[in-house]
Amino acid sequence: MARVEVRKTHKLYIGGAFPRSESGRTYEALDSKGEFLANMAKGSRKDARDAVVAARKAFGGWSTRTPYNRGQVIYRIAEVMEGRRDQFIDDLRASEGVTEKKAITFVDAAIDRVVWYAGWADKYVQVLGNANAVSGPFFNLSTPEPTGVVAIVAPTGPLLGLVSVIAPAIVTGNTVVVIASEKYPVPAVTLSEVMAASDVPGGVVNILTGSAAEIAPWLASHMDVNALDLAGVDDAALAAELEVASAENLKRVLRAPAEKVDWLAEPSLARLEAFVETKTVWHPIGV
């Protein structure tokens, strides 16, 4: 008897679970030749709101974990990614039509990038914080704290760019709602399966598939979102609209890049610094 194929419609990733879009909508992801690759859930305003609720619920527990523990959890993401390395390579080759050599380069760089950020989990405070040289009989100490819930429009590049925006946000204690690349969503879905199989608590990372132009304005205007990363917005008009919407509750905004980003380039601490708030305390000397 001929076997019946089990066809799959990829789901959203919200709160550690894989729900269908509440709208019931889907869209077709195409491969590099313009042929059918996968059915994807098309996220809606309600899905975005549900993701924000999940991210806010997870924030308290995640932000108060020790930096060392957050580093261990994020390193576990890299371990699980390593175990699914071949699948990521196949995803990239199918999505972008790149050679196997190039796919290997980008997948290995993505795994290494997660390890790099994991290593900063218990070190960035010493670099970004400081003891300020002030005049007076007291200590003046500054330290970074997480901003809160960060909404991210992921870069078009399917995996390396994606982990390069997620990892620095969560390593500093934030939780995230990510709109995956509409053109290359399959690697993002595979990454969400990695998150579910690793030690990342549900709600710390939430991944939506669909149209950024449709979903992002609701996140930009959402009063329980604290910051917005426009890494994947290449439409100047949309970027301006999102910045205006973000101003209502004074969100931090990491603006859309003015030119194409080389995600293979050596990372810096800029993205670690982008979504932390520096708090300063004064303490009398000798007390």
Side-chain angles (χ1 to χ4, degrees), residues 111-182:
I111 297 170
D112 293 348
R113 186 65 46 86
V114 175
V115 173
W116 191 86
Y117 277 115
W120 277 103
D122 57 357
K123 303 173 184 67
Y124 75 91
V125 169
Q126 287 79 10
V127 177
L128 300 183
N130 58 279
N132 305 304
V134 296
S135 177
F138 33 73
F139 297 110
N140 181 262
L141 307 172
S142 295
T143 188
E145 294 183 351
T147 296
V149 175
V150 180
I152 301 172
V153 181
T156 300
L159 183 63
L160 178 57
L162 182 63
V163 300
S164 295
V165 296
I166 291 177
I170 65 173
V171 78
T172 50
N174 299 293
T175 55
V176 298
V177 177
V178 185
I179 305 173
S181 167
E182 184 175 8

Side-chain angles (χ1 to χ4, degrees), residues 49-282:
R49 291 170 60 190
D50 290 345
V52 173
V53 170
R56 177 57 63 192
K57 183 177 180 180
F59 176 72
W62 180 245
S63 62
T64 55
R65 288 194 178 205
T66 66
Y68 176 73
N69 179 256
R70 283 203 300 269
Q72 288 183 310
V73 171
I74 293 169
Y75 186 80
R76 176 61 182 161
I77 295 173
E79 290 181 330
V80 181
M81 289 178 70
E82 185 74 30
R84 301 183 69 161
R85 179 173 176 268
D86 290 344
Q87 181 180 358
F88 278 117
I89 291 169
D90 290 342
D91 286 348
L92 262 65
R93 294 192 68 188
S95 296
E96 293 192 87
V98 298
T99 64
E100 182 176 7
K101 182 178 180 180
K102 188 171 183 180
I104 289 172
T105 297
F106 277 92
V107 170
D108 288 350
I111 297 170
D112 293 348
R113 186 65 46 86
V114 175
V115 173
W116 191 86
Y117 277 115
W120 277 103
D122 57 357
K123 303 173 184 67
Y124 75 91
V125 169
Q126 287 79 10
V127 177
L128 300 183
N130 58 279
N132 305 304
V134 296
S135 177
F138 33 73
F139 297 110
N140 181 262
L141 307 172
S142 295
T143 188
E145 294 183 351
T147 296
V149 175
V150 180
I152 301 172
V153 181
T156 300
L159 183 63
L160 178 57
L162 182 63
V163 300
S164 295
V165 296
I166 291 177
I170 65 173
V171 78
T172 50
N174 299 293
T175 55
V176 298
V177 177
V178 185
I179 305 173
S181 167
E182 184 175 8
K183 187 176 181 180
Y184 303 122
V186 176
V189 172
T190 303
L191 183 65
S192 70
E193 293 171 352
V194 166
M195 296 292 177
S198 64
D199 299 327
V200 180
V204 171
V205 177
N206 304 274
I207 299 178
L208 308 175
T209 52
S211 169
E214 177 185 346
I215 303 171
W218 299 114
L219 293 174
S221 61
H222 199 299
M223 298 302 286
D224 205 25
V225 173
N226 304 106
L228 187 65
D229 184 347
L230 303 181
V233 179
D234 53 12
D235 181 334
L238 176 60
E241 175 189 340
L242 297 176
E243 288 188 26
V244 170
S246 297
E248 188 170 357
N249 72 331
L250 303 179
K251 290 179 179 66
R252 277 180 170 261
V253 177
L254 190 58
R255 306 187 77 174
E259 55 189 34
K260 187 175 180 179
V261 177
D262 178 10
W263 294 107
L264 281 171
E266 188 73 19
S268 71
L269 298 186
R271 286 192 166 273
L272 285 171
E273 192 172 11
F275 300 119
V276 294
E277 306 290 340
T278 300
K279 305 293 179 66
T280 300
V281 296
W282 300 71

